[in-house]
């Protein structure tokens, strides 16, 4: 087993994130705004699920380009990693558009908000499922700043959770290994 590395983003990004505390039933549908509101309503539980060092910064943080306005779903700071962590929430399997959107947010956040002594911003696409093919052919592949993580709105059985952890671990390792 590799030693714990306090500065490694993979030590802080849980995949899958089990968010049964939001109150969604296994087979219900919900919108991104309902997902966001459920996370905000249960912010303390969500931060505990995220793990060590997270502090909430802002919801729907506004950033603008020359011609358009954008809103980052959730912004956290992680004082142990000394960096911002932004979350883009999706109620579907990850798509290339989602990764591109998150990539732009991370780059803009680094340019506009990051202080000189901060580490680079991390972006997490929190979605209902990951897609290895989309990841392989997008900026997500080998990125050290952009990650995709699956969330589950219900507590899986022990076997389901074990399988899911192994599947998501393989996904992370495939797309974030040093080559």
């Amino acid at each position: 087993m590799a030693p714990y590395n306090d500065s490694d983003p993979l030590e802080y990004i849980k995949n899958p994130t089990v968010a049964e505390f939001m109150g969604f039933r296994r087979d219900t549908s919900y919108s991104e705004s309902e997902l966001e509101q459920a996370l905000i309503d249960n912010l303390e539980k969500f931060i505990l699920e995220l793990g060590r060092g997270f502090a909430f910064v802002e919801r729907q943080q506004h950033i603008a380009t020359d011609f358009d306005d954008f809103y980052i779903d959730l912004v956290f700071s992680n004082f142990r990693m000394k960096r911002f962590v932004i979350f883009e929430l999706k109620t579907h399997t990850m798509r290339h558009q989602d990764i591109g959107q998150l990539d732009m947010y991370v780059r803009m956040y680094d340019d506009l908000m990051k202080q000189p002594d901060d580490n680079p911003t991390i972006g997490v696409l929190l979605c209902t499922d990951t897609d290895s093919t989309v990841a392989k052919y997008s900026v997500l592949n080998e990125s050290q700043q952009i990650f995709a993580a699956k969330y589950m709105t219900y507590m899986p059985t022990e076997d389901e959770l074990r399988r899911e952890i192994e599947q998501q671990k393989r996904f992370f390792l495939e797309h974030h290994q040093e080559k």
Side-chain angles (χ1 to χ4, degrees):
M1 182 172 175
Y4 173 76
N5 181 349
D6 202 36
S7 64
D8 182 359
L10 291 177
E11 293 288 342
Y12 294 86
I13 299 170
K14 289 193 173 183
N15 192 16
T17 298
V18 178
E20 83 284 354
F21 56 80
M22 294 187 303
F24 294 121
R25 291 192 313 268
R26 185 179 278 235
D27 295 321
T28 59
S29 63
Y30 44 89
S31 67
E32 287 177 17
S33 61
E34 289 170 322
L35 172 62
E36 181 181 319
Q37 187 62 51
L39 290 173
I40 292 297
D41 289 347
N42 295 281
L43 190 56
E44 180 181 8
K45 293 174 185 170
F46 183 54
I47 288 175
L48 289 172
E49 175 64 22
L50 291 176
R52 305 170 302 275
F54 281 92
F56 180 66
V57 174
E58 193 165 345
R59 167 189 195 181
Q60 292 297 314
Q61 187 170 40
H62 177 252
I63 56 174
T65 63
D66 294 337
F67 301 104
D68 219 339
D69 294 296
F70 298 93
Y71 297 88
I72 300 172
D73 291 337
L74 299 173
V75 179
F76 290 85
S77 175
N78 187 292
F79 60 86
R80 293 180 71 136
M81 291 190 296
K82 190 130 180 60
R83 64 174 80 217
F84 290 104
V85 181
I86 60 178
F87 284 84
E88 188 59 28
L89 308 174
K90 299 298 175 188
T91 57
H92 53 257
T93 299
M94 69 181 231
R95 299 185 301 217
H96 70 282
Q97 302 95 312
D98 305 327
I99 297 165
Q101 177 184 17
L102 182 60
D103 181 50
M104 184 185 83
Y105 289 173
V106 166
R107 291 169 192 264
M108 287 182 75
Y109 216 83
D110 271 351
D111 190 46
L112 302 172
M113 304 298 284
K114 182 175 96 54
Q115 299 300 306
D117 61 334
D118 287 339
N119 288 314
T121 301
I122 290 177
V124 179
L125 179 64
L126 203 54
C127 50
T128 60
D129 213 345
T130 54
D131 182 323
S132 290
T133 305
V134 170
K136 179 179 178 180
Y137 296 108
S138 71
V139 295
L140 186 65
N141 195 29
E142 300 179 18
S143 172
Q144 299 304 306
Q145 287 183 260
I146 300 174
F147 301 87
K150 177 178 180 171
Y151 67 88
M152 302 173 83
T153 58
Y154 59 91
M155 180 58 86
T157 67
E158 190 175 324
D159 286 341
E160 288 173 328
L161 186 57
R162 188 177 296 112
R163 281 192 307 272
E164 192 61 48
I165 289 171
E166 286 305 313
Q167 177 185 345
Q168 294 305 319
K169 189 188 315 181
R170 282 191 304 277
F171 175 82
F172 260 45
L173 291 174
E174 281 178 25
H175 303 290
H176 296 287
Q177 281 184 328
E178 299 284 332
K179 302 229 180 190

